């Protein structure tokens, strides 16, 4: 009898080994589509890599220069006619509503600089979503808690909450009816349904959103209306992404979920996330930079944004970096390239480019010294190397999406921590 029990136990454990029980995960994800990739509605296969780089750079200059129609960068005049691309570098897809049993697929613009999500509604141009045909659509009542969470509202017909929202980068203004709808965040395993998500059913907007984009998804912090907050306990205030180096041919990934962990624990860095009310931006404090182990103090709050490709430094810090690069290039004075701003001849860097590290304010008991790969702050062409860091006063951006390539970023709002580490994004996609 004992022998039979022992044999049964062996068979049971062998079955577990051969057919392991799949752990129930509490996370889900979807594609982040680079706007220049073949998955994008803006894909243009006739453009060269150089032309795509320039477009990305100009887009970022436009985002950094939110309230000006023109600016000077390193003595180069960037006029309003050059700032033709209004969006950032990444798009995402999401699904909402229930029309004849199926949700509507939308191409959306994810914004870490906004807390509010809105969708083109009705019969206006570029609208794919008609709320009158969705069985899960419902307008929000004026005076309700969610209506009060919006800054600019008024009562409409049938006591609905009418809103007006201006984006944080001053790019567009949306007006419509505050509403609730079922959102479906698509993942390889299953479709996650989130009923009752509050969003703006946009009836009109100024400074037109680009054709092909039907929605803006607000991922910012500090508001009950932010999608990250509304997803609630299901995601634990956490989302993570990893940007593919070959973003034109492969989609990157973003995941939400309370069980998200860092894949590469051996090279872990933790910076403290701060919040500047009422702005929804994600701030980390850059305490210093090291150029070839020479430390320069900064102590400035810096924004982290998935849509901005470049990093901005105060002019004095920028000049120190430029001086170090000049010395590393055997004293060659940088020149102004017509398309790529500040550049050097590649042949001058026979001994390699300077080592650059960013020192962030860390959480207790951790470190936040982020070593930048040369590709994180330089663009390499056939015969030249160009700098993707620019001088600017005012609002500063750090760890732009160029520096996030092959790096896993975890934004944990519950613990106010940004955790990051080098990673092959293919591993993250599984």
């Amino acid at each position: 009898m004992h022998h039979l029990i022992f044999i049964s136990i062996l068979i049971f454990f062998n079955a577990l080994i051969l057919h392991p029980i799949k752990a129930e995960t509490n996370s889900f994800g979807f594609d982040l589509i680079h706007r220049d990739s073949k998955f994008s509605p803006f894909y243009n296969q006739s453009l060269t890599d150089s032309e795509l780089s320039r477009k990305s750079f100009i887009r970022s200059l436009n985002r950094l220069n939110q309230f000006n129609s023109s600016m000077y960068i390193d003595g180069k005049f960037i006029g309003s006619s050059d700032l033709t691309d209004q969006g950032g570098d990444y798009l995402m897809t999401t699904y909402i509503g229930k029309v004849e049993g199926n949700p509507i697929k939308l191409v959306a613009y994810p914004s870490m600089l906004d807390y509010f999500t809105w969708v083109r509604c009705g019969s206006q141009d570029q609208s794919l979503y008609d709320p009158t045909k969705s069985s899960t659509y419902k307008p929000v009542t004026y005076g309700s808690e969610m209506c009060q969470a919006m800054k600019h509202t008024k009562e409409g017909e049938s006591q609905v909450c009418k809103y007006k929202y201006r984006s944080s980068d001053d790019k567009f203004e949306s007006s419509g009816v505050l509403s609730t709808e079922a959102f479906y965040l698509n993942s390889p395993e299953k479709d996650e349904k989130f009923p009752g998500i509050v969003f703006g059913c946009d009836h009109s907007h100024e400074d037109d959103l680009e054709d092909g984009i039907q929605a803006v998804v607000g991922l910012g912090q500090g508001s009950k209306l932010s999608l990250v907050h509304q997803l609630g306990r299901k995601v634990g205030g956490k989302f993570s992404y990893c940007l593919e180096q070959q973003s034109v041919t492969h989609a990157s990934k973003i995941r939400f979920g309370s069980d998200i962990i860092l894949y590469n624990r051996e090279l872990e860095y933790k910076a403290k996330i701060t919040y500047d009310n009422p702005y929804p931006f994600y701030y980390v404090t850059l305490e210093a930079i090291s150029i070839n182990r020479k430390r320069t103090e900064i102590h400035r709050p810096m924004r982290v944004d998935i849509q901005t490709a470049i990093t901005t430094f105060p002019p004095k810090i920028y000049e120190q970096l430029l001086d170090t690069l000049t010395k590393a290039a055997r004293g060659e004075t940088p020149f102004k390239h017509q398309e790529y701003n500040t550049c050097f001849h590649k042949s001058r860097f026979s001994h390699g480019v300077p080592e650059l590290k960013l020192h962030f304010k860390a959480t207790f008991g951790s470190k936040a010294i982020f070593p930048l790969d040369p590709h994180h702050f330089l663009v390499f062409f056939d015969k030249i190397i160009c700098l993707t860091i620019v001088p600017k006063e005012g609002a500063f951006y750090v760890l732009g999406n160029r520096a996030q390539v092959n790096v896993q970023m975890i934004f944990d709002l519950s613990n106010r921590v940004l955790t990051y580490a080098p990673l092959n994004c293919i591993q993250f996609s599984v």
Side-chain angles (χ1 to χ4, degrees):
M1 183 67 180
H2 293 293
H3 292 290
L4 290 175
I5 294 174
F6 179 73
I7 292 173
S8 298
I9 292 173
L10 283 179
I11 293 174
F12 174 73
F13 278 106
N14 282 332
L16 286 181
I17 294 172
L18 293 175
H19 303 284
I21 298 174
K22 186 178 180 180
E24 184 68 26
T25 60
N26 198 31
S27 64
F28 53 91
F30 46 88
D31 289 344
L32 281 173
I33 303 168
H34 196 282
R35 65 184 299 118
D36 297 325
S37 76
K38 61 182 181 180
F39 310 104
S40 166
F42 308 114
Y43 178 56
N44 186 345
Q45 61 181 348
S46 66
L47 295 179
T48 65
D49 289 343
S50 296
E51 290 168 333
L52 292 175
S53 295
R54 180 182 184 276
K55 287 170 68 69
S56 176
F57 186 75
I58 294 298
R59 281 196 299 267
S60 292
L61 289 181
N62 186 39
R63 286 172 60 78
L64 295 172
N65 196 42
Q66 299 160 2
F67 303 104
N68 299 319
S69 60
S70 59
M71 68 185 298
Y72 280 93
I73 292 292
D74 281 1
K76 176 185 176 183
F77 180 75
I78 305 295
S80 57
S81 60
D82 293 320
L83 305 178
T84 54
D85 288 310
Q86 297 297 313
D89 282 340
Y90 287 91
L91 308 171
M92 57 175 271
T93 56
T94 188
Y95 300 76
I96 72 167
K98 209 73 169 178
V99 179
E100 298 180 354
N102 297 310
I104 304 300
K105 179 182 178 180
L106 303 176
V107 176
Y109 179 79
S111 175
M112 294 175 64
L113 306 183
D114 287 285
Y115 66 81
F116 187 53
T117 296
W118 60 272
V119 176
R120 297 181 195 251
C121 286
S123 59
Q124 61 176 305
D125 290 342
Q126 299 297 315
S127 174
L128 301 178
Y129 169 71
D130 186 349
T132 64
K133 296 181 180 180
S134 174
S135 60
T136 49
Y137 170 83
K138 185 178 180 181
V140 169
T141 304
Y142 182 76
S144 64
E145 180 183 359
M146 284 303 182
C147 185
Q148 293 176 355
M150 285 292 292
K151 293 179 181 179
H152 303 288
T153 61
K154 65 179 181 179
E155 185 175 357
E157 296 181 6
S158 302
Q159 295 182 316
V160 301
C161 178
K162 299 189 71 174
Y163 74 89
K164 180 175 287 188
Y165 177 77
R166 190 73 182 174
S167 63
S168 63
D169 59 4
D170 208 38
K171 188 178 69 174
F172 49 73
E173 183 176 88
S174 170
S175 301
V177 176
L178 199 65
S179 312
T180 63
E181 182 57 281
F183 275 60
Y184 298 79
L185 301 180
N186 183 264
S187 75
E189 300 86 13
K190 55 185 176 180
D191 286 340
E192 291 284 349
K193 178 181 178 181
F194 294 88
I197 295 294
V198 179
F199 77 108
C201 189
D202 172 77
H203 293 164
S204 65
H205 48 269
E206 298 177 8
D207 302 327
D208 213 11
L209 200 64
E210 292 170 284
D211 291 346
I213 298 180
Q214 295 89 34
V216 173
V217 176
L219 300 176
Q221 59 173 325
S223 172
K224 295 179 180 179
L225 296 173
S226 171
L227 183 63
V228 181
H229 184 277
Q230 289 194 66
L231 295 180
R233 294 182 179 179
K234 179 71 175 179
V235 303
K238 292 175 70 174
F239 66 95
S240 178
Y241 56 79
C242 188
L243 304 182
E244 283 274 4
Q245 186 168 6
Q246 304 297 327
S247 58
V248 175
T249 55
H250 295 80
S252 299
K253 302 291 181 179
I254 183 171
R255 298 193 68 83
F256 293 82
S258 57
D259 62 353
I260 290 174
I261 61 172
L262 201 67
Y263 283 72
N264 185 356
R265 300 297 296 271
E266 296 180 0
L267 292 174
E268 178 181 85
Y269 307 93
K270 289 186 176 183
K272 185 177 181 179
I273 295 175
T274 58
Y275 172 58
D276 183 13
N277 186 41
Y279 305 107
F281 313 134
Y282 291 84
Y283 286 102
V284 291
T285 300
L286 183 62
E287 296 190 327
I289 64 169
S290 295
I291 306 173
N292 285 344
R293 300 183 181 181
K294 182 180 179 182
R295 181 180 170 113
T296 300
E297 301 296 322
I298 295 181
H299 301 286
R300 297 281 188 108
M302 310 283 282
R303 298 174 188 174
V304 181
D305 176 28
I306 194 175
Q307 298 291 6
T308 302
I310 56 182
T311 293
T312 56
F313 280 168
K316 290 184 179 180
I317 305 298
Y318 173 83
E319 289 299 330
Q320 293 179 26
L321 173 62
L322 202 59
D323 181 63
T324 304
L325 281 170
T326 300
K327 292 177 180 177
R330 293 182 289 173
E332 180 193 45
T333 302
F335 62 91
K336 307 301 178 186
H337 192 278
Q338 183 178 359
E339 293 182 330
Y340 309 119
N341 202 48
T342 302
C343 300
F344 296 85
H345 290 101
K346 185 185 293 187
S347 60
R348 305 296 293 183
F349 289 93
S350 57
H351 300 292
V353 299
E355 178 186 69
L356 179 61
K357 293 183 179 180
L358 306 179
H359 302 252
F360 296 109
K361 184 176 182 180
T363 59
F364 180 77
S366 62
K367 63 178 181 178
I369 304 174
F370 191 78
L372 292 183
D373 184 273
H375 288 86
H376 288 163
F377 63 98
L378 295 168
V379 180
F380 292 78
F381 297 103
D382 288 339
K383 296 182 179 181
I384 61 174
I385 299 175
C386 302
L387 192 60
T388 62
I389 298 175
V390 300
K392 189 177 186 297
E393 292 286 8
F396 300 106
Y397 287 80
V398 72
L399 292 179
N401 58 45
R402 178 173 296 277
Q404 296 174 23
V405 168
N406 285 339
V407 175
Q408 184 187 1
M409 313 280 287
I410 301 178
F411 293 83
D412 183 351
L413 296 185
S414 298
N415 298 305
R416 317 291 317 162
V417 175
L418 168 59
T419 308
Y420 48 97
L423 180 74
N424 187 330
C425 289
I426 296 176
Q427 183 180 359
F428 181 79
S429 301
V430 175

